[in-house]
């Protein structure tokens, strides 16, 4: 058969395409590809297939490298090579030929060549560089098809570094007369923007032109770029809101050509893209949101057809409505929409309904309440995806009252789940809930036991770490701590008596640590008994050597008495010649310490968990090694947060299990990542102290309770009160108090039901009542201004003292305050900060609202305080603000005081710039605010105490404390007494003990009113590390000597602020201005900069312009300081 | 969109398009796992899957599964319609498309996909425009081809 016939046959389907002839494919089955495909289908075994393909590949290889092969044959060979690769066989020899084909072939062959290139290579492949010239040539071609092909391949992959070579040509194409070329050029620029944003920064105005293009296709394409840019910087594009709204209006109104209709819905892709853009623009911005209300309403109205595509638009609309500044009637419609989704018999819609509910439930818990029965049904849905999404929803509405039921449901799911990713994720969530809302010790320990057993060795290491930290640090009551630990010990001993071989290693490690620390609490438990149980673990085959080291360390703590020593001797002999050096080390330690009880008592004292352990976290002894490696060309170290960022930017598919879901503070990063994991777990085994690091950051994400409290009954919810009430009536509540209820619930789900419920529906209602208990009752609790009925159980001691329960107490205090007018707010310092009772009742939502307007309107006196009734604010913006302002949810009346308070600044400080005056806490008699003043050689914290009551307040005692800071009083005698309606000022001088990105001072004020008992209030104050940074003036020589002397360092590449000649100087000037650094000298492409942390802790910076970025190296004698400063440098440059 | 896969009921891959740079090893691993997961699902089940940190949207047309991976914030329903639009395009181009069309003319299927989605984003949603672009390129193909193959025929046979 000649090639021509073949060719014709292959071409036939496309020729026939217009007459829609079925079976056209069979015609081409005579080609070589057809032969290959038919050959494969006739085979019966994988082995035969492999042989056939290898033969095929060998023949392709021979032909492609033969000089006689024409480009036309090459094209056919490439198609076969693509096919082989698709089957999973490597054909890398053909890559270079694919590039050749794209280069040398005629348009037709080029097309296959480009396709092969785009399928074979990815954008980091080195061969791609060979394509640059071809692309360049084709972009300049007069043949439209060739230009199209070049643009298509460029939009899929292009080497980042070569973008400047073709950028002018692509830009030129934006003005091409053909819309298809313009469209592809826009998409190519989008690709460039994704991989190298700074390369295309200068053509932003051209993007605007594309947005205004007369062809809807080009305009649609430009929205990809806009969505990306707006997500990165919403502020910069607010002016475009009206344009986007107009476009959406036109689309929704059917003004586009019919071609763009999809199942008679006008341009749905365009609509969705616009809705996504609008939601980003309207987020936290009332005025911008107002522009889009109309069009959103219209979109909702128009999308009524019963087709997937309308649901897609509705879903996006709903998301947008819940993201932007809220409007009550839109929210109502959106809620109805979600309801339709959830109730839909179509499973895809149901899934999306649940997803939408999960998204909005934090703002609107009652919506979940309305659909409780559906949610219960979804919990038993046969499709795991639906179940999983339901659990996610329940996770968001968990509170102290329904935690047992929800956690039980999650554990049920975990026991049947086979997917590692789901397991890791859910286990983390269960642990988080257990820690936050555990009703009692037994439940907590048992739940964590299940978490450890099910989560196994896959779970995030911070779960066992924070669990151990929780046990060792304890809570508020010593007795409770003892009980918890005792229960853990009992539980673990019985586990070890069972079949410990089946437990995961991580769990065994936890068990052995706890037994080592706390088994002495159980007096009747002999240490030797525990040691025998543990030694059984050592004999188990599955036990990893890491676990064995944990066990040996535990034994070291336990080996008391003759029996204990003899077990210890036995074990240490067995392992003192182990091949594992760590194990051997531990065995040696055990041997020596078991013989010398006095030494042992000193090395492993009881309750050592609370003693801090000195760790050289910077690993400065490795500096030599590092600099050697760097000199040898090794890549500089990047901290994980930067790597993650880069990863996110690359939009790469992560094949690793989920990263930590909790944000980690810089300081903890620097410690955690500089130590090897083993080292970390070792030290945690010894003291339990270093385990806390990851958790500190973690607790910042526990926003849930704060969020709920904020929502309250403000805004449109108030209008839906009747609905809420009926929902409450539907819930059968056979139990009296929430705590009883929780207890009964747990027994209900674990043991035979105390209340006989024969009918399944009744069972479901029962479940509903236990699942949704918190939602209804909590809101009514809020209404009455009471604090949450069940405060968080395991409240960390070390945490900021004014956490959830404290905050709500303050609120309830305010109820008592005497009503008074707000009129005289503006009078100099005769401020009346009492709030009217109406305001107090009006819930935390308003409080946060006010606090929010406080931050925006800071410093002005003409703030309207009366904007509290009936305004439908709140939602997202308030939530974010309220979280930030959580320790002080009650600062509303302070607002106009800022300016007035600043007049109270001590005269000696008035010349310096001070931060905004931030309210700290307030109650019916006292208002505390503070600001910090940056002086040349010190940082002064000024606390304003304002007595808002009608009587004098005496015996005021203000105490400050901080983990990170050294606090000392400045003025001689502290304030004792503040007269009615007047202000007293305290000053404290602060200096940094241990650098971290944000440092916090917590404090307590106690005082005595003329009548009544002594009172106190707690507060905390955050300030950035940068307020402690001052310029350090040095000569270059001094810099040189100091540089060598410092041991702690960090390196990172930062972005330069602009391209061009003076970029280094400009970048350094920005840093100088924002961070108060001193530029020592700029030499060519390098610059040296110095600063100090108060008082006199220097930090030196060396930077070099390299490959378009700024390679920054920070050094200091203070651990963590370089890392923190790097963080601020990065931020300063990003914000610029 | 992160990638699109087409595979048969027997688990044979028919088309793969990756919009994120991945190594061949990773691609194979993902394909294998995903094909298994999707094939194991029952017909009445949800078309969406949470898989690793991605959302998978899949739909079955006759013997072929179309499967897209999107990020969490993306709209699942519109992705389902992207699949549907692609099937419509194939159908229009091949004339009531069947799996064999795609097997034997997979390069054409790729060309159509490239005109429809570019770099993981919908490029052109007008069916007419996509097909016009493909037809133009195909026509050029014929023009360039015919004279040359005649010459070659003389020379070769």
């Amino acid at each position: 058969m000649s090639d021509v016939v073949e060719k014709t046959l292959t071409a036939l389907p496309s020729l026939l395409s217009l007459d829609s002839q079925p079976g056209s494919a069979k015609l081409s089955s005579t080609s070589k590809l057809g032969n290959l495909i038919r050959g494969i289908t006739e085979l019966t075994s994988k082995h035969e297939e492999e042989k056939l393909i290898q033969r095929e590949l060998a023949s392709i290889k021979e032909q492609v490298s033969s000089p006689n092969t024409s480009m036309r044959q090459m094209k056919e060979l490439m198609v076969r090579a693509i096919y082989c690769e698709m089957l999973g066989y490597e054909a890398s020899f053909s890559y270079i030929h694919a590039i050749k084909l794209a280069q040398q072939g005629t348009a037709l062959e080029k097309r296959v060549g480009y396709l092969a290139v785009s399928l074979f290579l990815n954008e980091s492949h080195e061969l791609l560089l060979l394509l640059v010239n071809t692309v360049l040539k084709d972009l300049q071609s007069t043949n439209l098809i060739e230009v199209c092909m070049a643009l298509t391949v460029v939009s899929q992959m292009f080497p980042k570094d070569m973008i400047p070579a073709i950028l002018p040509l692509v830009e030129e194409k934006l003005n091409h007369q053909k819309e298809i070329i313009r469209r592809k050029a826009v998409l190519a620029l989008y690709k460039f923007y994704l991989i190298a944003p700074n390369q295309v920064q200068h053509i932003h105005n051209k993007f605007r032109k594309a947005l205004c293009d007369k062809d809807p296709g080009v305009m649609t394409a430009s929205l990809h770029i806009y969505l990306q840019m707006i997500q990165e910087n919403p502020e910069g594009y607010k002016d475009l809101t009206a344009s986007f709204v107009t476009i959406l209006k036109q689309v929704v109104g059917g003004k586009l050509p019919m071609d763009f209709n999809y199942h008679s819905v006008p341009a749905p892709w365009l609509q969705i893209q616009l809705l996504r853009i609008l939601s980003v623009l309207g987020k936290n911005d009332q005025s911008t949101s107002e522009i889009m209300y109309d069009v959103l309403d219209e979109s909702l109205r128009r999308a009524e057809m019963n087709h997937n595509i309308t649901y897609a638009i509705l879903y996006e609309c709903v998301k947008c409505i819940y993201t932007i500044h809220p409007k009550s009637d839109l929210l109502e419609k959106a809620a109805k929409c979600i309801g339709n989704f959830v109730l839909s018999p179509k499973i895809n819609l149901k899934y999306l309904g649940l997803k939408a509910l999960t998204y909005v439930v934090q703002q609107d818990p009652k919506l979940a309440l309305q659909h409780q029965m559906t949610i219960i049904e979804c919990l038993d849905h046969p499709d795991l995806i639906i179940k999983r999404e339901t659990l996610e929803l329940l996770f968001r509405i968990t509170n102290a009252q329904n935690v047992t039921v929800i956690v039980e449901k999650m554990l049920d799911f975990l026991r049947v789940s086979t997917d590692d990713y789901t397991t890791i994720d859910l286990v983390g969530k269960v642990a988080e809930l257990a820690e936050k809302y555990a009703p009692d010790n037994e439940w907590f320990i048992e739940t964590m036991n299940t978490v450890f057993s099910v989560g196994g060795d896959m779970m995030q290491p911070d779960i066992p770490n924070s669990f151990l930290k929780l046990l060792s640090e304890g809570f508020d009551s010593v007795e409770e701590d003892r009980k918890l630990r005792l229960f853990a010990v009992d539980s673990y001993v019985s586990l070890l008596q069972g079949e410990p071989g089946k437990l995961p290693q991580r769990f065994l490690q936890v068990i052995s640590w706890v037994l080592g620390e706390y088994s002495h609490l159980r007096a009747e438990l002999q240490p030797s008994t525990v040691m025998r149980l543990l030694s059984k673990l050592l004999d188990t085959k599955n036990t990893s050597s890491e676990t064995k080291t944990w066990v040996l360390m535990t034994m070291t703590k336990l080996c008391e008495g003759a029996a204990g020593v003899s077990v210890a001797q036995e074990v240490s002999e067995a392992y003192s010649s182990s091949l594992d050096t760590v194990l051997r080390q531990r065995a040696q330690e055990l041997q020596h310490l078991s013989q010398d009880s006095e030494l042992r008592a000193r090395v492993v004292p009881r309750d050592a968990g609370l003693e801090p352990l000195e760790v050289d976290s910077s690993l400065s002894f490795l500096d030599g090694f590092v600099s050697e490696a760097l000199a040898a060309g090794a890549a500089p170290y990047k901290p994980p947060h930067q790597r993650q960022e880069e990863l996110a930017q690359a939009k790469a598919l992560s094949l690793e299990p989920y990263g930590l879901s909790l944000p980690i503070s810089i300081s903890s990063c620097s410690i955690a990542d500089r130590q090897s994991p083993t080292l970390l777990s070792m030290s945690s085994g010894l003291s339990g102290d270093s385990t806390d690091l990851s958790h500190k950051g973690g607790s910042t994400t526990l926003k849930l309770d704060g969020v709920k409290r904020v929502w309250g009954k403000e805004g449109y919810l108030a209008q839906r009160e009747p609905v809420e009430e009926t929902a409450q009536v539907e819930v059968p509540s056979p139990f009296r108090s929430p705590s009883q209820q929780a207890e009964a619930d747990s027994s209900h789900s674990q043991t035979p039901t105390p209340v006989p419920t024969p009918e399944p529906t009744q069972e479901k209602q029962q479940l509903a009542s236990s699942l949704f208990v918190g939602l209804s009752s909590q809101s009514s609790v809020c209404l009455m201004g009471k604090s949450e009925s069940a405060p968080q159980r395991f409240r960390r001691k070390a945490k900021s003292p004014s956490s959830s329960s404290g905050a709500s107490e303050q609120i309830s205090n305010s109820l008592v305050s005497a009503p008074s007018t707000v009129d005289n707010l503006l009078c100099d310092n005769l401020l009346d900060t009492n709030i009217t009772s109406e305001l107090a009742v009006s819930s935390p939502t308003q409080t946060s609202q006010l606090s929010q307007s406080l931050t925006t309107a800071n410093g002005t006196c003409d703030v309207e305080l009366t904007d509290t009734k009936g305004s439908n604010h709140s939602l997202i913006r308030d939530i974010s603000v309220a979280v930030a302002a959580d320790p002080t949810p009650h600062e509303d009346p302070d607002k106009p005081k800022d300016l007035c308070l600043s007049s109270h600044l001590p005269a000696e400080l008035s010349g310096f710039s001070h931060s905004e005056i931030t309210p700290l806490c307030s109650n019916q008699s006292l208002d505390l605010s503070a600001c910090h003043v940056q002086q040349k050689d010190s940082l002064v914290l000024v606390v304003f105490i304002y007595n808002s009551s009608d009587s004098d307040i005496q015996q005021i005692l203000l105490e400050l404390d901080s983990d990170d800071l050294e606090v000392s009083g400045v003025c001689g005698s502290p304030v004792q007494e503040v007269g009615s309606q007047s202000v007293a000022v305290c000053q404290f001088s602060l200096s940094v003990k241990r650098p971290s990105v944000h440092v916090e001072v917590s404090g307590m004020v106690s005082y005595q009113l003329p009548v009544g008992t002594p009172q106190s209030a707690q507060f905390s104050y955050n300030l950035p590390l940068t307020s402690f940074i001052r310029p350090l003036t040095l000569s270059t020589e001094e810099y040189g000597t100091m540089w060598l002397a410092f041991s702690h360092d960090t390196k990172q590449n930062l972005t330069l602020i602009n391209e061009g000649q003076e970029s280094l100087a400009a970048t350094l000037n920005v840093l100088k201005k924002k961070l108060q650094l001193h530029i020592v000298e700029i030499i060519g492409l390098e610059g040296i900069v110095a600063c100090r942390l108060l008082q006199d802790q220097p930090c030196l910076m060396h930077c070099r312009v390299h490959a378009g970025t700024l390679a920054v190296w920070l050094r200091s004698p203070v651990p963590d300081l370089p890392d923190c400063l790097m963080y601020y440098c990065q931020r300063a440059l990003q914000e610029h | 969109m992160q990638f699109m896969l087409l595979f048969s009921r027997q688990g044979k891959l028919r088309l793969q398009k990756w919009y994120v740079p991945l190594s061949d090893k990773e691609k194979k691993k993902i394909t294998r796992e995903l094909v298994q997961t999707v094939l194991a699902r029952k017909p009445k089940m949800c078309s969406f899957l949470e898989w690793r940190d991605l959302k998978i949207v899949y739909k079955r047309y006759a013997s072929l599964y179309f499967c897209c991976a999107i990020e969490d914030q993306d709209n699942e329903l519109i992705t389902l319609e992207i699949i549907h639009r692609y099937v419509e395009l194939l159908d229009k181009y091949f004339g009531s498309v069947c799996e064999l069309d795609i097997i034997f003319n997979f390069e054409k299927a790729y060309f159509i996909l490239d005109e429809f989605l570019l770099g993981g984003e919908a490029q052109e949603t007008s069916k007419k425009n996509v097909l016009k672009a493909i037809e133009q390129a195909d026509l050029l193909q014929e023009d360039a081809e015919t004279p040359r193959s005649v010459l070659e025929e003389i020379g070769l046979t």
Side-chain angles (χ1 to χ4, degrees), chain A residues 610-900:
Chain A
L610 297 174
E611 303 291 320
L613 186 77
E614 290 281 326
V615 179
D616 180 6
S617 62
S618 68
L619 302 186
S620 52
F621 60 91
L622 284 175
D623 283 354
F625 175 78
V626 171
S627 51
E628 222 170 81
L630 284 172
Y637 172 78
K638 286 179 188 163
H641 60 93
Q642 195 196 349
R643 267 178 284 162
Q644 261 168 7
E645 250 167 48
E646 282 172 10
L647 206 68
Q649 277 168 6
K651 274 196 164 181
L653 183 66
S654 161
L655 289 170
E656 298 304 313
Y658 290 113
L660 292 178
S661 60
L662 315 167
I664 304 171
S665 73
I666 296 290
S667 62
S668 65
C669 268
S670 64
I671 294 194
D673 58 41
R674 283 179 181 220
Q675 282 183 323
S676 67
T678 22
L679 199 57
L680 191 65
S681 50
M682 287 300 153
S683 53
S684 71
L686 274 175
S687 71
D689 187 56
S690 51
T691 52
D692 60 346
L693 292 164
S694 59
H695 197 85
K696 276 195 179 153
S699 67
T700 57
T701 60
L702 312 182
K703 295 171 186 163
L704 217 58
D705 43 352
V707 170
K708 265 183 207 153
R709 235 181 304 118
V710 164
W711 172 252
K713 54 261 79 271
E714 237 292 278
Y716 87 106
L717 273 180
Q719 298 154 15
R720 293 159 83 250
E721 218 85 356
V723 184
E724 172 208 342
E725 271 167 24
T726 51
Q728 280 177 26
V729 172
E730 276 166 19
V731 179
S733 53
F735 310 114
R736 260 169 233 105
S737 80
S739 58
Q740 279 174 336
Q741 198 159 358
E743 265 174 45
D745 290 338
S746 60
S747 60
H748 166 65
S749 54
Q750 284 156 10
T751 57
T753 37
V755 187
T757 50
E759 281 176 57
T761 50
Q762 202 178 340
E763 228 167 72
K764 277 186 178 162
Q765 292 212 328
Q766 192 100 32
L767 182 61
S769 74
S770 46
L771 278 178
F772 298 94
V773 54
L775 295 183
S776 48
S777 66
Q778 191 181 33
S779 46
S780 57
V781 163
C782 280
L783 264 174
M784 293 180 295
K786 279 184 195 151
S787 63
E788 217 175 286
S789 54
Q792 189 176 325
R793 178 174 184 80
F794 297 125
R795 195 149 61 90
R796 287 280 154 74
K797 266 182 188 164
K799 287 291 132 55
S800 88
S802 50
S803 71
S804 56
S805 57
S808 37
E809 261 161 43
Q810 285 168 5
I811 290 169
S812 60
N813 282 346
S814 65
L815 269 174
V816 202
S817 65
S820 55
T821 52
V822 229
D823 298 349
N824 51 358
L825 272 171
L826 302 180
C827 297
D828 195 5
N829 50 16
L830 272 178
L831 295 167
D832 191 337
T833 55
N834 282 347
I835 39 169
T836 62
S837 52
E838 171 205 320
L839 189 59
V841 177
S842 66
S843 94
T845 316
Q846 284 171 348
T847 323
S848 65
Q849 227 175 66
L850 289 163
S851 69
Q852 179 234 323
S853 47
L854 166 83
T855 42
T856 49
N858 220 331
T860 54
C861 273
D862 56 347
V863 183
E864 290 173 28
L865 189 66
T866 44
D867 181 30
T868 52
K869 234 181 12 182
S871 55
N872 297 324
H873 305 314
S874 77
L875 277 191
I876 307 111
R877 177 197 330 218
D878 291 336
I879 285 169
S880 58
V881 172
V883 171
D886 193 33
T888 58
H890 184 61
E891 64 243 15
D892 32 329
D894 297 339
K895 186 177 355 161
K897 241 171 38 180
D898 190 359
L899 195 74
C900 318

Side-chain angles (χ1 to χ4, degrees), chain A residues 7 72 183 355 655 658, chain B residues 52 76 124 145 152:
Chain A
K7 191 68 56 190
R72 195 164 53 85
R183 191 179 71 214
K355 200 177 148 186
L655 289 170
Y658 290 113
Chain B
R52 299 197 178 164
E76 288 91 345
E124 177 60 78
E145 197 172 334
E152 269 174 7

Side-chain angles (χ1 to χ4, degrees), chain A residues 182-416:
Chain A
R182 293 202 300 274
R183 191 179 71 214
K184 282 181 193 280
V186 168
L187 282 165
L189 291 174
Y190 171 59
K191 176 74 181 176
F192 295 165
Y193 184 80
L194 288 181
I195 55 178
N198 40 10
Q199 307 256 28
V200 291
Q201 248 156 19
H202 61 288
I203 44 177
H204 277 193
N205 52 347
K206 294 201 174 154
F207 293 156
R208 289 208 179 208
K209 220 179 129 220
L211 182 66
C212 305
D213 199 289
K214 60 181 188 297
D215 180 69
V218 182
M219 185 262 288
T220 312
S222 74
L223 292 182
H224 295 306
I225 303 181
Y226 274 103
L227 178 59
Q228 197 68 32
M229 294 193 301
I230 292 171
Q231 274 171 344
E232 280 157 25
N233 171 27
E235 293 310 315
Y237 300 91
K238 298 273 183 189
D239 58 322
L240 283 176
T241 313
S243 316
F244 291 126
V245 167
T246 317
I247 298 174
L248 185 55
K249 255 191 194 131
Q250 289 175 349
V251 177
V252 174
K255 298 283 191 325
L256 285 194
M258 290 291 279
D259 289 348
F260 290 91
N261 281 12
Y262 177 84
H263 295 261
S264 52
V265 175
W269 281 274
L270 178 54
Q271 286 196 42
I272 283 176
Q273 197 75 0
L274 284 168
L275 285 169
R276 290 179 71 176
I277 290 177
L278 289 182
S279 72
V280 183
L281 284 172
K283 191 172 184 178
N284 299 336
D285 185 340
Q286 183 172 3
S287 57
T288 310
S289 298
E290 273 163 6
I291 307 176
M292 48 187 90
Y293 288 149
D294 279 348
V295 76
L296 288 175
D297 194 41
E298 192 169 346
S299 291
L300 279 181
R301 215 154 22 93
R302 293 258 185 172
E304 53 201 5
M305 207 183 51
N306 183 15
H307 189 278
N308 259 347
I309 199 74
T310 33
Y311 294 126
I313 296 172
L314 277 180
Y315 177 72
E316 210 61 48
C317 257
V318 167
K319 255 172 83 174
C320 181
I321 288 169
Y322 270 95
T323 310
I324 62 170
H325 190 87
K327 182 167 192 257
S328 57
D329 63 320
L330 278 182
L331 284 173
E332 213 164 315
K333 285 178 189 166
K336 218 167 109 194
C337 241
I338 295 180
N340 289 341
F341 275 63
V342 174
L343 296 172
S344 165
K346 289 184 185 163
I347 188 160
N348 288 346
L349 294 187
K350 199 181 268 296
Y351 172 84
L352 281 190
L354 287 171
K355 200 177 148 186
L357 260 188
T358 314
Y359 184 72
V360 305
V361 77
Q362 289 170 352
Q363 301 154 32
D364 189 357
K366 293 203 189 66
L367 202 53
L369 208 61
Q370 281 175 27
H371 299 295
Q372 45 180 317
M373 290 318 281
T374 320
I375 294 171
I376 302 284
E377 275 160 29
C378 290
L379 261 185
D380 293 323
H381 202 280
D383 194 342
L384 283 185
I385 298 300
I386 300 280
K387 250 186 174 170
R388 175 79 184 77
E389 195 58 42
T390 315
L391 289 178
E392 188 70 36
L393 170 61
L394 290 179
F395 169 71
R396 304 278 173 106
I397 58 165
T398 310
N399 55 38
Q401 291 145 60
N402 58 17
V403 65
T404 46
V405 196
I406 288 178
V407 164
E408 189 55 35
K409 289 280 163 200
M410 289 169 105
L411 291 178
D412 283 347
F413 185 88
L414 272 175
R415 289 190 189 102
V416 294

Side-chain angles (χ1 to χ4, degrees), chain A residues 1-17 21 23-35 38 72 75-76, chain B residues 93-94 100-101 104-105 107-108 141-142 145-146 149:
Chain A
M1 175 89 47
S2 81
D3 278 335
V4 183
V5 179
E6 264 178 52
K7 191 68 56 190
T8 332
L9 289 174
T10 1
L12 257 178
S14 53
L15 285 173
L16 296 172
S17 63
Q21 202 135 56
S24 54
K26 274 136 208 146
L27 288 170
S28 59
S29 57
T30 40
S31 68
K32 280 181 186 160
L33 174 70
N35 285 335
R38 265 185 307 150
R72 195 164 53 85
K75 171 192 152 240
E76 200 275 325
Chain B
Y93 182 84
F94 287 108
L100 285 178
D101 291 315
F104 286 106
N105 298 287
E107 81 273 21
K108 299 260 161 54
Q141 187 159 329
E142 306 311 323
E145 197 172 334
T146 328
S149 31

